[in-house]
Amino acid sequence: MEAAATAETRARRPARSAKPDVAIGSIVARVFNFSSGPAILPEEVLRQAQAELLDWGGRGYSVVESSHRFEPFVALVEEMEVLVRELLAVPSNYQILFMQGGGHQQFAMVPLNLLRARTQADYVVGGHWSNRAAQEASRFCSVRVAADTLKNGATRAPVQSELSLDPQSAYVYYCPNETIHGIEYDYVPATGDVPLVADASSQFLSRTIDVSRFGIVFACAQKNFGPSGLTVAVIRDDLIGHCSPRWPSMLDYKSYSETRSLYNTPATFAVYIAHRVLRWLKDQGGVPAIETRNIEKATLVYDAIDRSDGFYVNRVARAQRSRMNVPFSLRDDRLTAPFLAEAEQGGLAQLKGHRTVGGVRASMYNAMPVEGARRLAAFMQEFQRRHG
Ligand code: PMP
């Protein structure tokens, strides 16, 4: 109810040229923000956080000013674990750990914890982020590239039959949603008995998954469930406890497992916001409901591309088009800068494509209302009418 009212309020707002986030009395004029991350957060969560910055639950101080050992904060972390377990139907033989260090720290933690006595790992390279992870892993082990579609321009993910997997490898690694190239796998790689590791940073909680197919699913929070400074890993029990004592304890999953994610001081504000976002997600009807909404948003924008007679171009294989990140270019690249400027003027912010690929990218994570996608699609059509 609350979400619908918010979307409605936004829809009634005229296209504005005013600066975003300008406080007018108690009303803050917000725009639709398509940032790839850190990204849009639910408006309800931000309003609650704003109010609670002076008074968290009647205590007269905020969560940012509280000890991470204070019971209400510990309870909040415990509830986050319960919420993730419930939202993704995580089986009981998996642990849910919260850490810092973002996606990049996981690029190192995965080999340091999973290699065990082995010396090699398989990496499926389907875009920028799996490639970055493979580079980091090569500091610690021999990396076998099981397939590579990045070298051919990253317009699709490798298919199962292309994967050259070695049963001697310690694990198989891939990135189910490549944030920069806008490629989302339409299948989960079958890896036999070798644990599968997924960097779900830009996909986490946006769709239902069968967790039992994975050894580890990790994600940094700053796209789908919170601010930066927090990372989650859902890990099968038997994969914890194998990190060599040579490595820092901060890089050992066991440190977080033994302390219920309170090994040292976490980024308490990021934890607090993520907790609120997870509750919000549950209130929306959970992952199946948010997935339906995510499909609707993606369809609106891809339809605008496909019906443009080539004015807008997305080069990704249809079955693997990302729901979360929609990159596209304009046939006439000279129109890219005016497109971005006019979109910004119209309250559609942060649409610039990644610096390595250029063009436009619309990231539409869970917190993006359907109305945001509708407004973007309408703007694309209207821009084409004027410039096509
Ligand atoms: N993996 C993916 C899929 C990403 O999109 C990103 C960031 N955009 C990262 C990893 C890196 O995350 P971080 O900056 O938190 O290290």
Side-chain angles (χ1 to χ4, degrees):
M1 234 4 248
E2 204 180 323
T6 309
E8 203 182 293
T9 318
R10 281 176 152 157
R12 278 202 304 269
R13 253 174 227 150
R16 317 159 323 100
S17 57
K19 289 199 194 94
D21 293 3
V22 180
I24 310 161
S26 63
I27 302 164
V28 177
R30 284 175 58 80
V31 301
F32 292 109
N33 168 18
F34 293 87
S35 167
S36 63
I40 185 169
L41 288 167
E43 193 166 320
E44 297 91 319
V45 170
L46 293 177
R47 289 191 188 284
Q48 189 181 10
Q50 186 182 36
E52 290 190 336
L53 259 185
L54 290 174
D55 181 6
W56 174 39
R59 295 181 184 91
Y61 56 86
S62 71
V63 68
V64 198
E65 303 160 294
S66 165
S67 163
H68 61 294
R69 306 282 175 207
F70 181 47
E71 286 87 353
F73 185 82
V74 175
L76 202 137
V77 178
E78 285 174 4
E79 193 189 329
M80 275 169 70
E81 200 185 306
V82 172
L83 284 164
V84 171
R85 195 172 289 284
E86 200 178 315
L87 287 164
L88 281 182
V90 176
S92 58
N93 61 326
Y94 283 73
Q95 298 188 24
I96 295 156
L97 308 181
F98 297 103
M99 291 159 274
Q100 300 191 50
H104 279 78
Q105 183 163 302
Q106 295 303 310
F107 296 168
M109 282 182 81
V110 166
L112 292 181
N113 285 267
L114 257 57
L115 277 171
R116 294 156 288 169
R118 304 194 183 216
T119 54
Q120 68 172 41
D122 285 353
Y123 277 73
V124 182
V125 176
H128 176 92
W129 289 111
S130 46
N131 192 45
R132 276 293 282 268
Q135 284 167 358
E136 181 70 6
S138 68
R139 297 163 68 108
F140 311 107
C141 66
S142 145
V143 167
R144 283 186 75 255
V145 176
D148 184 350
T149 48
L150 176 62
K151 65 173 192 265
N152 297 326
T155 55
R156 65 176 184 86
V159 296
Q160 176 79 44
S161 58
E162 282 177 289
L163 307 184
S164 136
L165 303 175
D166 185 342
Q168 293 310 312
S169 290
Y171 59 90
V172 179
Y173 182 105
Y174 84 125
C175 177
N177 185 70
E178 287 282 358
T179 321
I180 293 176
H181 296 101
I183 297 169
E184 191 162 8
Y185 285 63
D186 53 348
Y187 72 103
V188 175
T191 60
D193 291 335
V194 180
L196 177 63
V197 176
D199 169 5
S201 290
S202 47
Q203 189 191 52
F204 199 65
L205 298 166
S206 72
R207 61 192 302 154
T208 55
I209 57 166
D210 176 1
V211 173
S212 71
R213 297 282 306 274
F214 300 88
I216 299 183
V217 179
F218 73 81
C220 50
Q222 67 264 26
K223 296 160 195 303
N224 259 324
F225 73 104
S228 56
L230 177 71
T231 313
V232 66
V234 180
I235 311 187
R236 214 174 62 206
D237 274 336
D238 61 291
L239 298 175
I240 299 173
H242 306 289
C243 187
S244 157
R246 272 189 304 147
W247 305 120
S249 54
M250 285 291 287
L251 301 181
D252 186 345
Y253 287 128
K254 189 157 66 106
S255 306
Y256 303 87
S257 159
E258 287 177 345
T259 57
R260 291 199 81 172
S261 301
L262 288 171
Y263 181 62
N264 73 325
T265 316
T268 51
F269 191 63
V271 168
Y272 158 82
I273 297 278
H275 170 261
R276 297 289 190 252
V277 174
L278 293 170
R279 272 193 183 168
W280 172 87
L281 203 49
K282 188 176 169 183
D283 291 346
Q284 301 302 299
V287 175
I290 212 83
E291 179 169 5
T292 304
R293 214 189 282 174
N294 288 335
I295 293 171
E296 190 181 347
K297 290 182 289 183
T299 305
L300 281 163
V301 178
Y302 283 117
D303 278 355
I305 295 171
D306 294 341
R307 292 181 186 152
S308 74
D309 276 332
F311 185 83
Y312 301 110
V313 183
N314 170 277
R315 294 165 58 237
V316 177
R318 273 176 193 252
Q320 294 173 341
R321 283 173 158 183
S322 168
R323 293 175 186 167
M324 295 287 98
N325 314 95
V326 184
F328 59 92
S329 53
L330 280 77
R331 183 171 47 205
D332 180 354
D333 190 42
R334 287 169 305 184
L335 290 173
T336 306
F339 178 94
L340 294 170
E342 288 181 31
E344 189 90 31
Q345 289 277 313
L348 306 169
Q350 302 245 3
L351 279 163
K352 196 169 177 192
H354 190 267
R355 62 185 188 282
T356 56
V357 294
V360 181
R361 176 172 48 164
S363 295
M364 297 183 289
Y365 300 116
N366 289 341
M368 172 62 68
V370 174
E371 182 58 22
R374 201 172 285 129
R375 285 269 296 275
L376 172 60
F379 168 74
M380 288 167 69
Q381 283 151 11
E382 188 257 331
F383 184 87
Q384 185 182 356
R385 263 197 302 280
R386 283 189 285 113
H387 297 277

